[in-house]
Amino acid sequence: MKGPPSIATATIEKRQFFRYAHGEVWTPQTVARRVLEFMFPGIPAARLLGPAESKPGASPHHPAADARNAVDPSEYGIEDVVMAAANESAQFAARAESSNVGPHTLEQLEADIRRLVITYPNRPVGPLFREVRALRDRAFELLEGRQPPRYTADLYVGAGVLCGVLANASFDLGRYDAAETQARSAFLFGELAGHNGLRSWVRGLQALIAYGDGRPADAVRLADSGSAFTPESGTAQIRLESIKARAYGQLNRGRDALAALSAADRMRERLVEAMNCQAG
């Protein structure tokens, strides 16, 4: 209100403010520098945010073994430099330890995803699409925060499943271009998480989109690509072979279609046997 017009509408992002407060920025640029120098007349912004000045004679002389790495005590004060380095390490450790994601957050996200996937076939696509999109945005928001690596992988899987559901919904709405974009994002998240089940499922989804778009050769290629990922559990591989059989049928390759169907049957039998063994 009292300053020059050039800084009257100046703003600062919360993230940048904390960088100043934590001493991560010593020389702000442009408008931020002018604001600080107006608020503190006669004091350069670099001095305001720079290291604390040492008192004369407060630091003993410590000869350095390597002059290239030596700190001039008359400029900063070796005690201040040592303490500044320690504080920087402590601040970084505190940030690394903090987390915006915990077991409860992940459990709730997984429960919401499970509910949406289960109810998908029995709900109108429009309202469900908006709900899935909102939950996907929540997963993205969590990924942009800080969390231990083990939680990051789970968040990538959740975001990948949600993008996959959006891809499926876009496909059901006849928007093949949007469906393919969502599916590519879902596969990328599967890659980042190193999750074979997600990668295999998304490849099947991409193959189905290609098949529906009248590109059976691409459908076969994508299904073959998905077969390279052995899923942790589930029926993704069976689905891949079934989609491949349909694509081969569209290509008038009857023998290959029958081979894919036989492969799907064998996988289904092995899966049933494994489930029976676990139950027994």
Side-chain angles (χ1 to χ4, degrees), residues 171-246:
F171 176 65
D172 288 342
L173 292 169
R175 291 299 306 273
Y176 295 163
D177 51 348
E180 289 185 325
T181 298
Q182 295 282 8
R184 279 192 294 271
S185 298
F187 186 80
L188 171 62
F189 295 138
E191 291 271 83
L192 293 171
H195 196 281
N196 282 345
L198 179 56
R199 288 186 282 199
S200 180
W201 175 68
V202 173
R203 279 293 188 245
L205 180 57
Q206 290 175 309
L208 189 62
I209 295 169
Y211 174 82
D213 197 29
R215 295 181 284 114
D218 286 342
V220 171
R221 175 181 57 80
L222 289 162
D224 280 337
S225 174
S227 298
F229 304 106
T230 303
E232 292 77 6
S233 61
T235 60
Q237 293 287 327
I238 300 173
R239 178 169 173 260
L240 283 171
E241 292 298 329
S242 300
I243 296 170
K244 192 189 300 183
R246 295 171 67 181

Coordinates of all heavy atoms in Angstrom, one line a residue, residues 171-246:
F171 N -13.2 -45.3 -23.1 CA -13.4 -46.3 -24.2 C -14.9 -46.6 -24.3 O -15.5 -46.6 -25.4 CB -12.6 -47.6 -23.9 CG -12.9 -48.7 -24.9 CD1 -12.5 -48.6 -26.2 CD2 -13.5 -49.9 -24.4 CE1 -12.7 -49.7 -27.1 CE2 -13.7 -50.9 -25.3 CZ -13.3 -50.8 -26.6
D172 N -15.6 -46.8 -23.2 CA -17.0 -47.0 -23.2 C -17.8 -45.8 -23.8 O -18.9 -46.0 -24.3 CB -17.5 -47.3 -21.8 CG -17.1 -48.7 -21.3 OD1 -16.7 -49.5 -22.1 OD2 -17.1 -48.9 -20.1
L173 N -17.2 -44.6 -23.6 CA -17.9 -43.4 -24.1 C -17.5 -43.2 -25.6 O -17.9 -42.1 -26.2 CB -17.5 -42.2 -23.3 CG -18.0 -42.2 -21.8 CD1 -17.4 -41.1 -21.0 CD2 -19.6 -42.0 -21.9
G174 N -16.7 -44.0 -26.2 CA -16.3 -43.9 -27.6 C -15.2 -42.9 -27.8 O -14.9 -42.6 -29.0
R175 N -14.5 -42.5 -26.8 CA -13.4 -41.6 -26.9 C -12.1 -42.4 -26.9 O -11.4 -42.5 -25.9 CB -13.4 -40.5 -25.8 CG -14.6 -39.6 -25.9 CD -14.5 -38.8 -27.2 NE -13.2 -38.1 -27.4 CZ -13.0 -36.9 -26.9 NH1 -13.9 -36.2 -26.2 NH2 -11.8 -36.4 -27.0
Y176 N -11.7 -43.0 -28.0 CA -10.6 -43.8 -28.1 C -9.3 -43.1 -27.9 O -8.3 -43.6 -27.3 CB -10.5 -44.6 -29.4 CG -11.7 -45.5 -29.6 CD1 -12.0 -46.0 -30.9 CD2 -12.5 -46.0 -28.5 CE1 -13.0 -46.9 -31.1 CE2 -13.5 -46.8 -28.7 CZ -13.8 -47.3 -30.0 OH -14.8 -48.2 -30.2
D177 N -9.2 -41.8 -28.3 CA -8.0 -41.1 -28.2 C -7.7 -40.8 -26.7 O -6.6 -41.0 -26.2 CB -8.1 -39.7 -28.9 CG -9.3 -39.0 -28.6 OD1 -10.3 -39.5 -28.0 OD2 -9.4 -37.8 -29.0
A178 N -8.7 -40.4 -26.0 CA -8.6 -40.1 -24.5 C -8.3 -41.4 -23.8 O -7.5 -41.5 -22.8 CB -9.9 -39.5 -24.0
A179 N -8.9 -42.5 -24.2 CA -8.7 -43.8 -23.6 C -7.2 -44.2 -23.7 O -6.6 -44.7 -22.7 CB -9.6 -44.9 -24.2
E180 N -6.7 -44.0 -24.9 CA -5.3 -44.4 -25.1 C -4.3 -43.6 -24.3 O -3.3 -44.1 -23.7 CB -4.9 -44.4 -26.6 CG -5.6 -45.4 -27.4 CD -5.2 -45.4 -28.9 OE1 -4.9 -44.3 -29.4 OE2 -5.1 -46.5 -29.4
T181 N -4.6 -42.3 -24.1 CA -3.8 -41.4 -23.3 C -3.8 -41.8 -21.9 O -2.8 -41.9 -21.2 CB -4.3 -39.9 -23.4 OG1 -4.1 -39.5 -24.8 CG2 -3.4 -39.0 -22.6
Q182 N -5.0 -42.1 -21.3 CA -5.1 -42.6 -20.0 C -4.4 -43.9 -19.8 O -3.8 -44.1 -18.7 CB -6.6 -42.7 -19.6 CG -7.4 -41.5 -19.6 CD -7.2 -40.6 -18.3 OE1 -6.3 -40.9 -17.5 NE2 -8.0 -39.6 -18.1
A183 N -4.5 -44.8 -20.7 CA -3.9 -46.1 -20.6 C -2.4 -46.0 -20.6 O -1.7 -46.7 -19.9 CB -4.3 -47.0 -21.7
R184 N -1.8 -45.1 -21.4 CA -0.4 -44.9 -21.4 C 0.1 -44.4 -20.1 O 1.1 -44.8 -19.6 CB 0.0 -43.9 -22.5 CG 0.1 -44.5 -23.9 CD 0.8 -43.6 -24.9 NE 0.0 -42.4 -25.2 CZ -0.9 -42.3 -26.1 NH1 -1.2 -43.3 -26.9 NH2 -1.6 -41.2 -26.3
S185 N -0.7 -43.5 -19.5 CA -0.3 -43.0 -18.1 C -0.4 -44.1 -17.1 O 0.5 -44.2 -16.3 CB -1.2 -41.8 -17.7 OG -1.1 -40.7 -18.6
A186 N -1.4 -44.9 -17.2 CA -1.5 -46.1 -16.3 C -0.4 -47.0 -16.4 O 0.2 -47.5 -15.4 CB -2.8 -46.8 -16.6
F187 N 0.1 -47.3 -17.7 CA 1.2 -48.2 -17.8 C 2.5 -47.6 -17.3 O 3.3 -48.3 -16.7 CB 1.4 -48.5 -19.3 CG 2.5 -49.5 -19.6 CD1 2.2 -50.9 -19.4 CD2 3.7 -49.2 -20.0 CE1 3.2 -51.9 -19.7 CE2 4.7 -50.1 -20.2 CZ 4.4 -51.5 -20.0
L188 N 2.7 -46.3 -17.5 CA 3.8 -45.6 -16.9 C 3.9 -45.8 -15.4 O 4.9 -46.1 -14.8 CB 3.8 -44.1 -17.3 CG 4.9 -43.3 -16.6 CD1 6.3 -43.8 -17.0 CD2 4.7 -41.8 -16.9
F189 N 2.7 -45.6 -14.7 CA 2.7 -45.8 -13.3 C 3.0 -47.2 -12.9 O 3.7 -47.5 -11.9 CB 1.4 -45.4 -12.7 CG 1.1 -43.9 -12.9 CD1 -0.2 -43.4 -13.3 CD2 2.1 -43.0 -12.7 CE1 -0.4 -42.1 -13.4 CE2 1.8 -41.6 -12.8 CZ 0.6 -41.2 -13.2
G190 N 2.6 -48.2 -13.7 CA 3.0 -49.6 -13.4 C 4.5 -49.8 -13.6 O 5.1 -50.5 -12.8
E191 N 5.1 -49.1 -14.5 CA 6.5 -49.2 -14.7 C 7.2 -48.6 -13.5 O 8.2 -49.2 -13.0 CB 6.9 -48.4 -16.0 CG 6.5 -49.0 -17.2 CD 7.5 -50.0 -17.8 OE1 7.5 -51.2 -17.3 OE2 8.3 -49.7 -18.6
L192 N 6.8 -47.4 -13.0 CA 7.4 -46.8 -11.9 C 7.3 -47.6 -10.6 O 8.2 -47.6 -9.8 CB 6.8 -45.4 -11.7 CG 7.1 -44.4 -12.8 CD1 6.3 -43.1 -12.6 CD2 8.6 -44.0 -12.9
A193 N 6.2 -48.3 -10.5 CA 6.0 -49.1 -9.3 C 6.6 -50.5 -9.5 O 6.7 -51.2 -8.5 CB 4.5 -49.3 -9.0
G194 N 7.0 -50.9 -10.7 CA 7.5 -52.2 -10.9 C 6.5 -53.3 -10.7 O 6.8 -54.4 -10.2
H195 N 5.2 -53.0 -11.0 CA 4.1 -53.9 -10.7 C 3.7 -54.6 -12.0 O 3.0 -54.0 -12.8 CB 3.0 -53.1 -10.1 CG 1.9 -53.9 -9.4 ND1 1.0 -54.6 -10.1 CD2 1.7 -54.2 -8.1 CE1 0.2 -55.2 -9.2 NE2 0.6 -55.0 -8.0
N196 N 4.0 -55.9 -12.1 CA 3.7 -56.7 -13.3 C 2.2 -56.8 -13.5 O 1.7 -56.8 -14.6 CB 4.3 -58.1 -13.2 CG 5.8 -58.0 -13.5 OD1 6.3 -57.0 -14.1 ND2 6.5 -59.1 -13.2
G197 N 1.4 -57.0 -12.4 CA 0.0 -57.1 -12.6 C -0.7 -55.9 -13.2 O -1.5 -56.1 -14.1
L198 N -0.2 -54.8 -12.8 CA -0.8 -53.5 -13.4 C -0.3 -53.4 -14.8 O -1.1 -53.1 -15.7 CB -0.3 -52.3 -12.6 CG -0.8 -50.9 -13.1 CD1 -2.3 -50.9 -13.2 CD2 -0.3 -49.8 -12.2
R199 N 0.9 -53.7 -15.1 CA 1.4 -53.6 -16.5 C 0.7 -54.5 -17.4 O 0.3 -54.2 -18.5 CB 2.9 -53.8 -16.5 CG 3.7 -52.6 -15.9 CD 5.2 -52.8 -16.1 NE 5.8 -53.7 -15.1 CZ 7.1 -53.8 -14.8 NH1 7.9 -52.9 -15.4 NH2 7.5 -54.6 -13.9
S200 N 0.5 -55.8 -17.0 CA -0.1 -56.8 -17.8 C -1.6 -56.4 -18.0 O -2.1 -56.5 -19.1 CB -0.1 -58.1 -17.1 OG -0.7 -59.1 -17.8
W201 N -2.3 -55.9 -17.0 CA -3.7 -55.5 -17.1 C -3.8 -54.3 -18.1 O -4.7 -54.3 -18.9 CB -4.2 -55.2 -15.7 CG -5.6 -54.6 -15.8 CD1 -6.8 -55.3 -16.1 CD2 -6.0 -53.3 -15.5 NE1 -7.9 -54.5 -16.0 CE2 -7.5 -53.2 -15.7 CE3 -5.4 -52.1 -15.1 CZ2 -8.2 -52.1 -15.4 CZ3 -6.1 -51.0 -14.9 CH2 -7.5 -50.9 -15.0
V202 N -2.9 -53.3 -18.0 CA -3.0 -52.2 -18.8 C -2.8 -52.5 -20.3 O -3.4 -52.0 -21.2 CB -2.1 -51.0 -18.3 CG1 -2.1 -49.9 -19.3 CG2 -2.5 -50.6 -17.0
R203 N -1.8 -53.4 -20.5 CA -1.5 -53.9 -21.9 C -2.8 -54.5 -22.5 O -3.1 -54.3 -23.6 CB -0.4 -54.8 -21.9 CG 1.0 -54.1 -21.9 CD 1.2 -53.4 -23.2 NE 2.6 -52.9 -23.3 CZ 2.9 -51.6 -23.3 NH1 2.0 -50.7 -23.2 NH2 4.2 -51.2 -23.4
G204 N -3.5 -55.3 -21.6 CA -4.7 -55.9 -22.1 C -5.8 -54.8 -22.5 O -6.5 -54.9 -23.5
L205 N -5.8 -53.8 -21.6 CA -6.8 -52.7 -21.9 C -6.4 -52.0 -23.2 O -7.3 -51.6 -24.0 CB -6.7 -51.7 -20.7 CG -7.6 -50.5 -20.8 CD1 -9.1 -50.9 -20.9 CD2 -7.4 -49.6 -19.5
Q206 N -5.1 -51.7 -23.4 CA -4.7 -51.1 -24.6 C -5.0 -52.0 -25.8 O -5.4 -51.5 -26.9 CB -3.2 -50.8 -24.5 CG -2.8 -49.7 -23.6 CD -1.3 -49.5 -23.4 OE1 -0.6 -50.5 -23.2 NE2 -0.8 -48.3 -23.6
A207 N -4.8 -53.3 -25.7 CA -5.1 -54.2 -26.8 C -6.6 -54.2 -27.1 O -7.0 -54.2 -28.3 CB -4.7 -55.6 -26.4
L208 N -7.4 -54.1 -26.0 CA -8.9 -54.0 -26.2 C -9.3 -52.7 -26.9 O -10.2 -52.7 -27.8 CB -9.6 -54.1 -24.9 CG -11.1 -54.3 -24.9 CD1 -11.5 -55.6 -25.6 CD2 -11.6 -54.3 -23.5
I209 N -8.7 -51.6 -26.6 CA -9.0 -50.3 -27.2 C -8.6 -50.4 -28.7 O -9.3 -50.0 -29.6 CB -8.2 -49.2 -26.5 CG1 -8.7 -49.0 -25.1 CG2 -8.3 -47.9 -27.3 CD1 -7.9 -48.1 -24.2
A210 N -7.4 -51.0 -29.0 CA -7.0 -51.1 -30.4 C -7.9 -52.0 -31.2 O -8.3 -51.7 -32.3 CB -5.6 -51.7 -30.4
Y211 N -8.4 -53.1 -30.5 CA -9.3 -54.0 -31.2 C -10.6 -53.3 -31.5 O -11.2 -53.4 -32.6 CB -9.6 -55.2 -30.3 CG -10.7 -56.1 -30.8 CD1 -10.4 -57.1 -31.8 CD2 -12.0 -56.1 -30.3 CE1 -11.4 -57.9 -32.2 CE2 -13.0 -56.9 -30.7 CZ -12.7 -57.8 -31.7 OH -13.7 -58.7 -32.2
G212 N -11.1 -52.5 -30.5 CA -12.4 -51.8 -30.7 C -12.3 -50.7 -31.8 O -13.3 -50.3 -32.4
D213 N -11.0 -50.2 -31.9 CA -10.8 -49.1 -32.9 C -10.5 -49.7 -34.3 O -10.1 -48.9 -35.2 CB -9.6 -48.3 -32.4 CG -9.5 -46.9 -33.1 OD1 -10.6 -46.4 -33.5 OD2 -8.4 -46.4 -33.3
G214 N -10.7 -51.0 -34.5 CA -10.4 -51.6 -35.8 C -9.0 -51.8 -36.1 O -8.6 -51.8 -37.3
R215 N -8.1 -52.0 -35.1 CA -6.7 -52.2 -35.4 C -6.2 -53.5 -34.7 O -5.5 -53.5 -33.7 CB -5.9 -51.0 -34.8 CG -6.2 -49.7 -35.5 CD -5.3 -48.5 -34.9 NE -5.9 -48.1 -33.6 CZ -5.2 -48.2 -32.4 NH1 -4.0 -48.8 -32.4 NH2 -5.8 -47.7 -31.3
P216 N -6.7 -54.6 -35.3 CA -6.4 -55.9 -34.7 C -4.9 -56.2 -34.6 O -4.5 -56.9 -33.7 CB -7.2 -56.9 -35.6 CG -7.3 -56.2 -36.9 CD -7.5 -54.7 -36.6
A217 N -4.1 -55.8 -35.6 CA -2.7 -56.1 -35.6 C -2.1 -55.4 -34.4 O -1.2 -56.0 -33.7 CB -2.0 -55.6 -36.9
D218 N -2.5 -54.2 -34.1 CA -2.0 -53.5 -32.9 C -2.4 -54.2 -31.6 O -1.7 -54.3 -30.6 CB -2.4 -52.0 -32.9 CG -1.7 -51.2 -33.9 OD1 -0.6 -51.6 -34.4 OD2 -2.2 -50.1 -34.2
A219 N -3.6 -54.7 -31.7 CA -4.2 -55.4 -30.5 C -3.3 -56.7 -30.2 O -3.0 -56.9 -29.0 CB -5.6 -55.8 -30.7
V220 N -2.9 -57.4 -31.2 CA -2.1 -58.6 -31.0 C -0.7 -58.2 -30.5 O -0.2 -58.8 -29.6 CB -1.9 -59.3 -32.4 CG1 -0.8 -60.4 -32.2 CG2 -3.2 -60.0 -32.8
R221 N -0.1 -57.1 -31.1 CA 1.2 -56.6 -30.6 C 1.1 -56.2 -29.1 O 2.0 -56.6 -28.4 CB 1.6 -55.4 -31.5 CG 2.9 -54.8 -31.0 CD 3.3 -53.6 -31.9 NE 2.2 -52.6 -32.0 CZ 2.0 -51.7 -31.0 NH1 2.8 -51.7 -29.9 NH2 1.1 -50.8 -31.1
L222 N 0.1 -55.5 -28.7 CA 0.0 -55.0 -27.4 C -0.2 -56.2 -26.4 O 0.3 -56.3 -25.3 CB -1.1 -54.0 -27.2 CG -0.8 -52.7 -27.9 CD1 -2.1 -51.9 -28.1 CD2 0.2 -51.9 -27.0
A223 N -1.0 -57.2 -26.8 CA -1.3 -58.3 -26.0 C 0.0 -59.2 -25.8 O 0.3 -59.6 -24.7 CB -2.4 -59.2 -26.6
D224 N 0.8 -59.3 -26.9 CA 2.1 -60.0 -26.8 C 3.0 -59.3 -25.8 O 3.7 -59.9 -25.1 CB 2.7 -60.1 -28.2 CG 2.1 -61.2 -29.0 OD1 1.6 -62.2 -28.4 OD2 2.2 -61.2 -30.3
S225 N 3.0 -57.9 -25.9 CA 3.8 -57.1 -25.0 C 3.5 -57.4 -23.6 O 4.3 -57.5 -22.7 CB 3.7 -55.7 -25.3 OG 4.4 -54.9 -24.4
G226 N 2.1 -57.5 -23.3 CA 1.7 -57.7 -21.9 C 2.1 -59.1 -21.4 O 2.2 -59.3 -20.2
S227 N 2.2 -60.0 -22.3 CA 2.5 -61.4 -21.9 C 3.9 -61.5 -21.3 O 4.3 -62.5 -20.6 CB 2.4 -62.4 -23.1 OG 1.1 -62.4 -23.6
A228 N 4.8 -60.5 -21.5 CA 6.1 -60.5 -21.0 C 6.1 -60.2 -19.5 O 7.2 -60.4 -18.8 CB 7.0 -59.4 -21.7
F229 N 5.0 -59.8 -18.9 CA 5.0 -59.4 -17.5 C 4.1 -60.5 -16.8 O 2.9 -60.6 -17.0 CB 4.3 -58.1 -17.3 CG 5.0 -57.0 -18.0 CD1 4.4 -56.4 -19.2 CD2 6.2 -56.5 -17.6 CE1 5.0 -55.4 -19.9 CE2 6.8 -55.4 -18.3 CZ 6.2 -54.9 -19.5
T230 N 4.8 -61.2 -15.9 CA 4.1 -62.3 -15.1 C 3.5 -61.6 -13.9 O 4.2 -61.1 -13.0 CB 5.1 -63.3 -14.7 OG1 5.7 -63.9 -15.8 CG2 4.4 -64.4 -13.9
P231 N 2.1 -61.5 -13.9 CA 1.5 -60.8 -12.8 C 1.6 -61.5 -11.4 O 1.8 -62.7 -11.4 CB 0.0 -60.8 -13.2 CG -0.1 -61.9 -14.1 CD 1.2 -62.1 -14.8
E232 N 1.6 -60.7 -10.4 CA 1.7 -61.2 -9.0 C 0.5 -62.2 -8.7 O 0.7 -63.1 -8.0 CB 1.8 -60.1 -8.0 CG 3.0 -59.2 -8.1 CD 3.0 -58.2 -9.2 OE1 2.0 -58.1 -9.9 OE2 4.1 -57.6 -9.4
S233 N -0.6 -61.9 -9.3 CA -1.8 -62.7 -9.1 C -2.9 -62.3 -10.1 O -2.7 -61.3 -10.8 CB -2.3 -62.6 -7.6 OG -2.7 -61.2 -7.4
G234 N -4.0 -63.0 -10.1 CA -5.1 -62.5 -10.9 C -5.1 -63.2 -12.3 O -4.4 -64.2 -12.6
T235 N -6.0 -62.7 -13.1 CA -6.3 -63.3 -14.4 C -5.9 -62.5 -15.6 O -6.4 -62.6 -16.7 CB -7.9 -63.5 -14.5 OG1 -8.5 -62.3 -14.4 CG2 -8.3 -64.5 -13.4
A236 N -4.9 -61.5 -15.4 CA -4.6 -60.6 -16.5 C -4.0 -61.4 -17.7 O -4.3 -61.0 -18.9 CB -3.5 -59.6 -16.0
Q237 N -3.3 -62.4 -17.5 CA -2.7 -63.2 -18.6 C -3.8 -63.9 -19.4 O -3.7 -64.0 -20.6 CB -1.6 -64.1 -18.1 CG -0.4 -63.5 -17.6 CD 0.5 -62.9 -18.6 OE1 0.6 -63.4 -19.7 NE2 1.2 -61.8 -18.3
I238 N -4.8 -64.4 -18.7 CA -5.9 -65.1 -19.4 C -6.6 -64.1 -20.3 O -7.0 -64.4 -21.4 CB -6.8 -65.7 -18.3 CG1 -6.1 -66.7 -17.5 CG2 -8.0 -66.4 -19.0 CD1 -6.9 -67.3 -16.3
R239 N -6.8 -62.9 -19.7 CA -7.5 -61.9 -20.5 C -6.7 -61.5 -21.7 O -7.3 -61.3 -22.8 CB -7.7 -60.6 -19.6 CG -8.3 -59.4 -20.2 CD -8.7 -58.4 -19.1 NE -9.1 -57.1 -19.6 CZ -8.4 -56.1 -19.7 NH1 -7.1 -56.1 -19.3 NH2 -8.9 -54.9 -20.1
L240 N -5.4 -61.4 -21.6 CA -4.6 -61.1 -22.8 C -4.7 -62.1 -23.9 O -4.9 -61.7 -25.1 CB -3.1 -61.0 -22.4 CG -2.6 -59.8 -21.6 CD1 -1.2 -60.0 -21.1 CD2 -2.7 -58.5 -22.5
E241 N -4.7 -63.4 -23.6 CA -4.9 -64.4 -24.6 C -6.3 -64.4 -25.2 O -6.4 -64.6 -26.4 CB -4.6 -65.8 -24.0 CG -3.2 -66.0 -23.6 CD -2.2 -66.0 -24.7 OE1 -2.6 -66.3 -25.9 OE2 -1.0 -65.6 -24.5
S242 N -7.3 -64.0 -24.4 CA -8.6 -64.0 -24.9 C -8.8 -62.8 -25.9 O -9.4 -62.9 -27.0 CB -9.6 -63.8 -23.8 OG -9.5 -64.9 -22.9
I243 N -8.2 -61.7 -25.6 CA -8.2 -60.5 -26.5 C -7.5 -60.8 -27.7 O -7.9 -60.5 -28.9 CB -7.7 -59.3 -25.8 CG1 -8.6 -58.9 -24.6 CG2 -7.5 -58.1 -26.7 CD1 -8.0 -57.8 -23.7
K244 N -6.3 -61.5 -27.6 CA -5.5 -61.8 -28.7 C -6.3 -62.8 -29.7 O -6.2 -62.6 -30.9 CB -4.2 -62.5 -28.3 CG -3.2 -62.7 -29.4 CD -2.0 -63.6 -28.9 CE -1.3 -63.0 -27.7 NZ -0.2 -63.9 -27.4
A245 N -7.1 -63.7 -29.1 CA -7.9 -64.6 -29.9 C -8.9 -63.8 -30.8 O -9.1 -64.1 -32.0 CB -8.6 -65.6 -29.1
R246 N -9.5 -62.8 -30.1 CA -10.5 -62.0 -30.9 C -9.8 -61.2 -32.0 O -10.4 -61.1 -33.1 CB -11.2 -61.1 -29.9 CG -12.0 -61.8 -28.8 CD -12.5 -60.8 -27.8 NE -13.5 -59.8 -28.3 CZ -14.0 -58.9 -27.6 NH1 -13.7 -58.8 -26.3 NH2 -14.9 -58.0 -28.1

